Amino acid sequence: MSARDEILARLRTALADGPPPVQVPRRYRRVDDRADLVDTLIDRLEDYRAVVHRGLDALPRLLSGVDRLAVPTDVPADWLAGYGGQLHRDAPPLSPAALDGMDAVLTGCAVAVADTGTIILDAGPSQGRRALTLVPDRHICVVRTEQVVGLLPEALTRLDPRAPLTWISGPSATSDIELNRVEGVHGPRRLEVVLISSGA
Amino acid sequence: MSHPVAPATGDGRIRTPLPFPTAARAAVADPQLRANLHRATRTIRAKRARVVDEVPDWEALRDAGSAIKADVQRRLPELLEQFEASATAAGATVHWARDAAEACQIVVALTRAAGADEVVKVKSMATQEIELNEALEAAGIAAYETDLAELIVQFGEDTPSHILVPAIHYNRAQIREIFQRRMSDAPADLTDEPAALAEAARAHLRRRFLSARVAVSGANFAVADTGTLVVVESEGNGRMCLTLPETLISVVGVEKLLPTFTDLEVFLQLLPRSSTGERMNPYTSMWTGVTPGDGPQTVHIVLVDNGRSAVLADPVGRPALSCIRCSACLNACPVYERAGGHAYGSVYPGPIGAILSPQLTGVADNASLPYASTLCGACYDVCPVKINIPEILVHLRQQAPHPPAERATMRLLSWVMRNPRRWAAALRLGRVGAGPLGAYRERRTGARTLRRLPWPASAWTRSRDLPLPAPQTFREWWGKQ
Ligand code: SF4
């Protein structure tokens, strides 16, 4: 008998007592009615020591110190207005070593969750593949206010489960040395969020 | 199926080499270990309480989480078949392993087939359970742990002592010393500043990440309707392993399933707050099979039984399979706080280890673990999926070999504890020394302690008393501690 068939048979035998059907009570909140979702998001992000900027005007200033910038191929042109450094589009795909030599990466996101301060990337428009936002030490992420939802359940309904999903809540961190929080172990050590409103 | 196949127990690092009281004696006598554990459990407990308190629907989330997991257990065979079909359709290859040895063989064969003689690893309890690092090493394949604490433990040739902070038994000076001794590229002037130590680990592992061809991970959740795997982490080493190598092999216990992608909305709220006391952990990765041009192009999933079918076969003990490895019960447990993780001798320490390990191996092989508890109920209170650990402990004590009089007591206790009203009444009786919990004893100081545990834990109580709930509810008692 194959391992598969044997394990499935063992599990069926184990359930010989016939446990009754289960009703899952879903009395938890599915929607957040808070008015100040963007303020909550900013508060949570800053709590994780991410740096938050408002308005597209913040971008040129942020990028002025970046010599080598990686971007997904479909990054909106207006995000790069006036950028004078070396621009590396991810086509053909940049090698891990090339990504390691970048000063920063600039992307958008799919959804942001106010309640937990989480930014979700799904490899959709202006986000690129996963390695792009992982290897460079600094991640600059543009979040449109209409992408902000209140709670996790709201975020999940906006996502395609089959896309590779990366949820980011602040920069990489560890607390493993005497419970001291240290920012940045293997992922980007700096996360900067630029919030722009619809149509901006 | 014409011949029913019996559920089977598992092996690997889930067996106590020594009875718990013997193993705990060393820990109890080690002042640094006890101080570290004391500080860690209290700090994490306080953080957890703060972020749980800000969630108005926490109890509703726990109820949903508990029910979803009960549903998973009831439908495990069909959900596994559904998961296999979804993951396969998305480009993954699914393998099945009856026990630890078979799981290791599969991973070794896949690594060899990929032409690699080393793998990078994301912290995973399942791979620790099956002793995969040892099996890889025996096959001439180097396994590199990439989680900072796991790296420390691996360098120290030690085993983890906590699910969440595996190296909690080391101080920063010891970590610096271990790095200088074992990390070939450690800076000569390495200090014991946490930032400097983290930086050294970052530099050490970066080249390895950028060149690794095969990664091995576990998974926190496996979603049946989509075939998605989920890994929750902090440092980004998980993302590195799950993203950069060509081949990814994930070792997943069969109990990790969730029926639907939507169910993640419950568990991704329960897990981070219960575990690290954060609203959300820094990174969560989800992948479904292969995504062309993005991440590993060869994706394998090894579904492991190794004793889980035996746990499923016991209707009382079955909910132990609901555990999401948050470690909240460890941090709440007065016994764990004193004894530390090593005393449990298994990869699963603390209250969950005390019920899961004996069920995975069969109680006879881990008979002392169900006694590694005061039955105070703190673990049940904090468990995000509401596993009634005290009830299962008592149930398992009945099965451990011990004298008939004691077995009768345990049967009675079990009956009492299965019903909240009976349990409350028994506690009241116990307080006046007349009930089945007559082992309670008011010391002259007024503190309530358990003086004598039944064998084999009696060796433990010989050296010290264990605190028990004050004559109020557990919550009141805990508030005072
Ligand atoms: S038993 Fe409950 S509290 Fe303990 S680790 Fe598992 S899920 Fe967490």
Side-chain angles (χ1 to χ4, degrees):
Chain A
M1 190 185 279
S2 73
R4 175 187 188 277
D5 292 345
E6 184 165 342
I7 292 169
L8 289 171
R10 286 175 180 181
L11 296 173
R12 289 200 176 94
T13 307
L15 291 165
D17 63 307
V22 178
Q23 268 298 329
V24 177
R26 298 194 190 261
R27 291 184 300 262
Y28 53 87
R29 295 173 302 158
R30 306 294 283 267
V31 186
D32 195 339
D33 39 25
R34 257 177 298 194
D36 55 347
L37 289 181
V38 172
D39 290 339
T40 306
L41 176 67
I42 293 174
D43 176 71
R44 303 307 200 225
L45 285 167
E46 289 179 341
D47 196 41
Y48 297 134
R49 301 187 204 166
V51 182
V52 182
H53 310 266
R54 292 197 84 148
L56 206 49
D57 301 349
L59 261 180
R61 262 185 297 116
L62 267 178
L63 293 178
S64 66
V66 178
D67 290 334
R68 282 156 303 176
L69 179 69
V71 290
T73 49
D74 57 349
V75 66
D78 57 341
W79 292 4
L80 296 169
Y83 176 66
Q86 287 177 38
L87 189 65
H88 296 263
R89 289 184 192 272
D90 191 35
L94 296 162
S95 69
L99 286 172
D100 197 30
M102 296 293 145
D103 297 309
V105 56
L106 171 67
T107 72
C109 76
V111 191
V113 188
D115 188 52
T116 57
T118 304
I119 289 168
I120 304 177
L121 275 64
D122 68 356
S126 64
Q127 296 164 56
R129 64 201 170 97
R130 283 173 284 173
L132 199 59
T133 54
L134 169 63
V135 183
D137 201 18
R138 186 172 166 199
H139 181 193
I140 302 169
C141 186
V142 176
V143 178
R144 298 179 195 278
T145 48
E146 72 264 23
Q147 291 174 320
V148 180
V149 298
L151 299 172
L152 284 191
E154 297 169 82
L156 279 158
T157 61
R158 292 197 185 194
L159 296 170
D160 173 2
R162 283 171 187 82
L165 299 174
T166 303
W167 298 33
I168 299 170
S169 306
S172 154
T174 184
S175 309
D176 280 318
I177 305 161
E178 295 181 2
L179 301 177
N180 284 290
R181 186 178 167 100
V182 179
E183 256 86 58
V185 190
H186 305 299
R189 278 181 284 199
R190 289 159 75 192
L191 173 66
E192 283 162 307
V193 177
V194 179
L195 273 163
I196 62 176
S197 50
S198 329
Chain B
M1 198 82 33
S2 50
H3 300 290
V5 178
T9 54
D11 51 30
R13 200 181 298 154
I14 42 180
R15 219 170 285 267
T16 36
L18 293 171
F20 181 84
T22 313
R25 204 171 294 141
V28 170
D30 177 344
Q32 179 192 316
L33 175 62
R34 287 190 54 196
N36 286 5
L37 282 167
H38 179 80
R39 178 159 165 267
T41 53
R42 288 189 185 227
T43 307
I44 301 170
R45 217 154 64 202
K47 280 178 74 184
R48 177 203 160 273
R50 201 165 54 235
V51 296
V52 163
D53 277 351
E54 72 180 33
V55 180
D57 51 347
W58 185 252
E59 288 307 315
L61 286 165
R62 283 179 85 203
D63 287 336
S66 174
I68 291 167
K69 281 294 195 178
D71 183 42
V72 166
Q73 284 142 34
R74 196 182 73 87
R75 297 194 290 136
L76 198 48
E78 74 180 74
L79 290 174
L80 284 165
E81 286 175 309
Q82 190 189 10
F83 174 80
E84 180 187 43
S86 319
T88 305
T93 308
V94 176
H95 310 258
W96 300 71
R98 282 168 273 227
D99 53 29
E102 190 168 29
C104 290
Q105 273 163 23
I106 293 169
V107 179
V108 167
L110 291 171
T111 306
R112 285 202 177 124
D117 57 9
E118 58 178 51
V119 301
V120 287
K121 285 190 66 213
V122 199
K123 175 187 155 151
S124 143
M125 311 219 44
T127 60
Q128 281 166 29
E129 173 190 319
I130 63 172
E131 299 182 303
L132 179 62
N133 287 6
E134 291 81 350
L136 288 169
E137 202 178 305
I141 298 164
Y144 298 108
E145 293 292 348
T146 62
D147 181 84
L148 179 54
E150 293 293 339
L151 179 73
I152 296 166
V153 168
Q154 192 179 40
F155 275 158
E157 290 171 11
D158 200 350
T159 54
S161 59
H162 190 284
I163 297 179
L164 174 66
V165 275
I168 193 61
H169 52 298
Y170 288 112
N171 287 340
R172 60 169 83 179
Q174 295 170 308
I175 296 170
R176 170 179 170 274
E177 192 270 320
I178 288 172
F179 277 11
Q180 280 196 315
R181 190 156 40 85
R182 295 294 310 275
M183 192 187 274
S184 48
D185 51 356
D189 56 351
L190 182 65
T191 69
D192 66 3
E193 278 305 303
L197 296 169
E199 179 65 35
R202 178 187 177 94
H204 174 73
L205 285 174
R206 185 146 279 234
R207 254 164 297 142
R208 197 153 273 158
F209 284 135
L210 299 186
S211 63
R213 298 183 39 220
V214 177
V216 176
S217 83
N220 293 91
F221 306 103
V223 182
D225 70 341
T226 58
T228 306
L229 292 182
V230 182
V231 164
V232 168
E233 50 130 2
S234 295
E235 298 173 4
N237 61 309
R239 289 179 67 191
M240 289 278 179
C241 293
L242 303 172
T243 308
L244 295 180
E246 297 149 23
T247 299
L248 172 60
I249 305 167
S250 304
V251 179
V252 183
V254 292
E255 84 286 9
K256 295 276 170 162
L257 284 216
L258 296 180
T260 69
F261 187 73
T262 305
D263 293 321
L264 289 170
E265 71 188 20
V266 174
F267 291 91
L268 290 178
Q269 294 194 70
L270 289 173
L271 179 56
R273 287 182 204 258
S274 301
S275 175
T276 51
E278 295 169 298
R279 295 189 180 102
M280 195 72 203
N281 50 287
Y283 296 130
T284 299
S285 297
M286 303 185 196
W287 70 101
T288 306
V290 173
T291 305
D294 187 347
Q297 297 300 295
T298 306
V299 171
H300 294 279
I301 302 164
V302 185
L303 295 172
V304 183
D305 178 354
N306 200 37
R308 287 156 179 79
S309 54
V311 185
L312 190 71
D314 180 342
V316 179
R318 184 178 292 158
L321 294 176
S322 302
C323 174
I324 57 173
R325 316 276 188 259
C326 71
S327 77
C329 59
L330 278 63
N331 297 320
C333 178
V335 176
Y336 175 83
E337 185 180 331
R338 285 161 182 80
H342 287 151
Y344 296 81
S346 154
V347 293
Y348 304 108
I352 182 60
I355 58 168
L356 192 57
S357 307
Q359 292 199 84
L360 287 169
T361 59
V363 179
D365 277 8
N366 255 326
S368 68
L369 284 181
Y371 292 91
S373 164
T374 65
L375 302 178
C376 71
C379 47
Y380 184 22
D381 263 14
V382 295
C383 179
V385 285
K386 291 190 148 179
I387 301 172
N388 188 339
I389 296 175
E391 183 195 341
I392 300 176
L393 282 167
V394 172
H395 169 71
L396 295 174
R397 286 180 191 189
Q398 290 175 79
Q399 297 164 36
H402 44 51
E406 228 177 80
R407 267 213 306 277
T409 312
M410 285 303 156
R411 257 199 310 278
L412 175 62
L413 251 181
S414 170
W415 175 81
V416 168
M417 293 181 76
R418 215 168 295 146
N419 173 308
R421 255 207 331 273
R422 288 200 291 257
W423 176 232
L427 277 175
R428 274 194 306 276
L429 275 173
R431 268 175 229 131
V432 297
L437 300 172
Y440 282 71
R441 178 178 166 280
E442 196 96 30
R443 288 161 89 201
R444 239 170 281 141
T445 56
R448 279 190 172 271
T449 58
L450 189 57
R451 282 291 290 250
R452 279 190 336 271
L453 287 174
W455 182 91
S458 49
W460 160 263
T461 41
R462 255 206 302 281
S463 60
R464 61 182 299 107
D465 295 346
L466 289 176
L468 276 173
Q472 312 91 356
T473 66
F474 171 73
R475 279 174 191 286
E476 289 163 330
W477 171 75
W478 196 252
K480 280 199 278 177
Q481 294 298 299

